[in-house]
Amino acid sequence: MTRSQRQARLLALIVPLALLAGAWSFQLWGGLFPCEMCLWQRWPHYAAILVAALAFMMPPRVTKGLVGIAALLIAISGVIAVYHAGVEYRWWHGVTACTGTLDLAGLTPAQRLDRIMGTPVVPCDVAQWTLGGISLAGFNALISLGTAATIAILLGKRR
């Protein structure tokens, strides 16, 4: 296994671990509860960690493929994060069940109650935290897509 492949394997494990540690820290100690789309972004990172960890246990001939799969999973989280950030910045509409709008006009009382009870507590279209105008979803997009690209470059290097 080449040095660049070892670096790619390490990145594929460490970056999703760090991003999830950050997300859980914001949730547990920062009081920022995830919306539905925040949770969607976490699933590919969980899977990437499992695949990257497996790459450390497999023979070198299998490792490159597993690291490539981990990079793809990291990129998928990044794409979901781009979509989520776009919803937060009002560039496009999110999925109806995940936005903060609640239209009750023309509904019966029972339908209104159902709509209220089905509305998420944490809306996906409101950034709970930003730094320099970039939301957590925006940071996930930048870091995840950048990491996936870096892993792809490292895996593509020749000896």
Side-chain angles (χ1 to χ4, degrees):
M1 179 184 309
T2 67
R3 180 174 181 245
S4 61
Q5 289 174 340
R6 285 192 303 274
Q7 290 171 334
R9 181 179 64 179
L10 192 59
L11 272 177
L13 180 64
I14 288 176
V15 171
L17 276 172
L19 288 171
L20 286 170
W24 277 101
S25 295
F26 273 102
Q27 181 177 340
L28 296 175
W29 296 296
L32 300 179
F33 295 98
C35 70
E36 185 176 354
M37 287 174 32
C38 293
L39 295 174
W40 295 351
Q41 294 170 63
R42 293 181 187 187
W43 288 109
H45 283 308
Y46 291 129
I49 291 167
L50 291 174
V51 172
L54 190 60
F56 277 88
M57 297 180 251
M58 299 306 263
R61 61 184 166 74
V62 180
T63 299
K64 187 175 180 179
L66 289 172
V67 172
I69 292 169
L72 179 63
L73 290 164
I74 294 167
I76 289 169
S77 178
V79 169
I80 295 168
V82 167
Y83 177 69
H84 186 191
V87 170
E88 290 174 337
Y89 298 134
R90 309 276 195 260
W91 294 341
W92 46 73
H93 294 287
V95 289
T96 308
C98 195
T99 57
T101 57
L102 188 61
D103 182 16
L104 302 176
L107 299 177
T108 67
Q111 291 171 325
R112 286 180 184 177
L113 181 60
D114 287 342
R115 177 78 52 89
I116 290 169
M117 296 306 289
T119 301
V121 175
V122 180
C124 297
D125 59 349
V126 177
Q128 294 186 57
W129 182 90
T130 61
L131 178 65
I134 302 173
S135 68
L136 289 172
F139 278 110
N140 183 37
L142 293 170
I143 295 167
S144 293
L145 294 174
T147 299
T150 302
I151 292 170
I153 290 167
L154 287 170
L155 288 178
K157 283 188 176 181
R158 302 284 179 215
R159 291 180 188 228

